[in-house]
Amino acid sequence: MNDTPGRTSPGTSPSDEHEPTVPEESAPTDGTPGTDEAARSSQWARQQPPGGRWSTPAAGPPPPRRPPRQRAHSGQGADGAGQGGGWGARGAWTAPPAAPQPGVIPLRPLAVGELIEGTLHTVRRNWRPVFGISLALALGTQAVATAVAGLWFRDVASLDPADAEDAEALLRNIGENLGGTTAAWFLSLLGSIVATALLTVIVSRAVLGRTTTVGEAWRNARPRLARMCGLMVMLPLLIAAVFAVGTGPGLLLANSGSPDLESSGVALTALGGLAAAVAGTWLWIRYCLAAPALMLEKQGVLASMRRSAKLVRGAWWRIFGVQLLALVLTFTISMLAQIPVSVVEAFLGADVAATGRLGWTELVVAGIGATVGSTVTFPLTASMTALLYMDQRIRRESLDLELARAAGE
C-alpha cells in the first residue's frame, strides 16, 4: 500500500496498484438518494455539523480593497524607479527620475545640444579663470607673433606669386620667410597647448560642481605639459605627412619639365590632395580625444592616442558631427567678436594696398583682432572636447557612476 500520497512504495505488489473496491449501498426504495450517493453528488463530506447551530455573520463594513499590483520593467523596482519609468500605485505612468547634475552637465549620456549648453555653462560659471587664462595666453603669444610679423612679413608683395619674376624667385622668398612662419606657428601652438591643458582641468572640476582657480589649474596641469606638447606637435605632423604622401607624386610630375606630364601631375595632385583631406579628417577625429585623455587619465602620448581611438571607435560619425558643429560655432562667435577690429582693418587696407607694405599700426590692429578671436576660441574648443570625452566614457564605461560618487551624490 502507499504510505505517501502520489508515491509508490518500492516493492509494491501488483495487487496494490488498484484501490480496493467498496460495495455500494443500495438506494432506498422510497426514491430518496442514499447517504453515499448524496455525498458524492454534492461533494460534501459524510460528517456534517448538526443543523441549526450556524448563523450568518452580522453585516459590517466591506473589507478594504487591496491596491492593484504595480508593474515594473526589467531592471526596475516595483515603484518604477528605474531609468525607464514605471507604473504608479494608481495605474498611472511615472516619469523616470532625473539624472543627478552636480555641475554643468547631467550625469548621463548627453545630446548634442546638452554638450553645447554644458560648454556655455562652463564658461559662464568659471568666467574669471577661463577668460583670464585665455586672454593672458592669447595676448602673450600674439604680441610675440606681431613682433615676428613686423620683422619678417612687412614686405607682403614678396609673397605674391603675381609679383614674383618666376617660380624660383617665389620659392626663394618663401624660404626667406619660412623662419618667421615657423616661429608664428610655434607660438600659436604653444598657447593652444597651455590653454587646452589648463581649461581641461577647469572643465573636469566644473562637471563635479566645483570651481577652480588659475593657480590650482596650473598646479594640476604643469606635470603633464611636456607630454601635451609632444601630443600637439605629433598630431599636426602626422596629418602633414599624410598630405605630403598624397600630393608628393603629383607635384613631382608637375615639376618634371615635361609638357606631357605636367597636366597629369596637376590632376594627380588634386586627386591626391582630396584623398589626403579625407585621410587627415579621419585621423583628426580618431585622435581628437587624446588631449583630455592625457590630462585626466595621466597617460603618455602614444597611450592617450590609443585611448582616443578606442573611445571614438563605433561613434566616428557622431563625433565628427559634434566637432564640425563646434568649429562652426567657435568660428561664428569669433567673427562676431572681431567685427569692430575688422572695420578698422578695412579702413587701413587702402594704405597697405597703396604702399605694398604692412605698417606697425596695421600689424597691431591685426594682432588685437587675433587676440580677441583666440580669447573666445580657446575656452570653447577645449570645453567642448573635454565634455565630449566625458560623454564617450559615460556611454562606454559608466563614468557617470564614478562622477556621482566623487561629487557626493
Side-chain angles (χ1 to χ4, degrees):
M1 299 295 292
N2 292 342
D3 298 328
T4 304
R7 297 187 59 186
T8 303
S9 302
T12 305
S13 60
S15 61
D16 294 335
E17 295 179 0
H18 304 281
E19 295 293 335
T21 58
V22 179
E24 298 181 358
E25 296 182 2
S26 59
T29 56
D30 56 359
T32 305
T35 306
D36 291 343
E37 183 180 355
R40 286 194 299 271
S41 62
S42 60
Q43 299 299 320
W44 291 101
R46 295 186 182 185
Q47 300 295 331
Q48 296 293 325
R53 296 185 182 180
W54 298 91
S55 59
T56 304
R65 292 184 59 188
R66 296 181 61 185
R69 293 186 63 184
Q70 300 168 348
R71 302 179 183 178
H73 293 279
S74 59
Q76 301 170 358
D79 57 352
Q83 293 185 354
W87 293 96
R90 297 185 179 180
W93 177 261
T94 58
Q101 185 173 349
V104 294
I105 59 170
L107 300 183
R108 57 171 171 77
L110 302 175
V112 177
E114 291 173 328
L115 286 171
I116 298 175
E117 186 179 0
T119 299
L120 299 179
H121 283 177
T122 301
V123 175
R124 187 177 68 249
R125 294 185 182 183
N126 303 271
W127 66 272
R128 290 184 178 179
V130 165
F131 285 114
I133 292 171
S134 300
L135 180 60
L137 291 174
L139 189 60
T141 56
Q142 194 59 43
V144 179
T146 300
V148 171
L151 297 176
W152 268 286
F153 298 113
R154 294 184 67 184
D155 189 6
V156 295
S158 61
L159 297 179
D160 190 355
D163 295 336
E165 298 177 358
D166 51 19
E168 183 178 355
L170 178 62
L171 291 176
R172 184 173 59 253
N173 293 334
I174 293 176
E176 292 175 355
N177 291 277
L178 185 60
T181 304
T182 304
W185 174 81
F186 178 77
L187 290 172
S188 177
L189 181 63
L190 182 62
S192 177
I193 291 171
V194 178
T196 301
L198 298 179
L199 294 173
T200 300
V201 174
I202 293 177
V203 173
S204 65
R205 301 289 183 87
V207 170
L208 301 178
R210 302 169 185 171
T211 57
T212 308
T213 63
V214 177
E216 292 174 345
W218 172 253
R219 286 191 294 270
N220 281 272
R222 183 177 56 186
R224 288 175 289 279
L225 283 179
R227 294 180 179 180
M228 181 66 77
C229 289
L231 175 66
M232 300 296 280
V233 170
M234 179 178 293
L235 292 180
L237 290 179
L238 181 62
I239 296 176
V242 171
F243 273 91
V245 172
T247 60
L251 291 175
L252 291 176
L253 288 179
N255 296 313
S256 62
S258 173
D260 298 333
L261 297 178
E262 184 175 354
S263 58
S264 300
V266 172
L268 184 60
T269 300
L271 184 61
L274 180 61
V278 174
T281 303
W282 182 80
L283 290 174
W284 167 51
I285 299 300
R286 179 179 174 85
Y287 298 122
C288 67
L289 303 181
L294 186 147
M295 290 300 304
L296 300 180
E297 298 184 24
K298 303 179 181 180
Q299 300 201 28
V301 175
L302 296 180
S304 63
M305 294 175 66
R306 289 192 296 266
R307 183 75 168 129
S308 176
K310 180 179 178 181
L311 292 174
V312 172
R313 187 180 301 120
W316 191 95
W317 284 107
R318 177 179 180 272
I319 296 176
F320 171 74
V322 173
Q323 292 285 42
L324 185 62
L325 181 61
L327 283 178
V328 174
L329 179 64
T330 54
F331 177 78
T332 303
I333 295 177
S334 177
M335 290 297 101
L336 291 176
Q338 295 184 61
I339 286 178
V341 180
S342 301
V343 172
V344 177
E345 288 182 338
F347 283 105
L348 297 176
D351 296 336
V352 176
T355 61
R357 295 179 61 86
L358 285 172
W360 284 105
T361 302
E362 293 83 1
L363 290 174
V364 169
V365 172
I368 293 174
T371 301
V372 173
S374 299
T375 303
V376 174
T377 303
F378 282 160
L380 293 179
T381 54
S383 299
M384 179 69 79
T385 304
L387 291 180
L388 185 58
Y389 160 81
M390 295 181 186
D391 176 59
Q392 284 301 113
R393 288 199 60 187
I394 288 174
R395 294 172 181 269
R396 298 287 181 87
E397 303 170 356
S398 299
L399 181 64
D400 52 334
L401 302 180
E402 299 180 13
L403 294 175
R405 284 194 295 266
E409 293 290 331

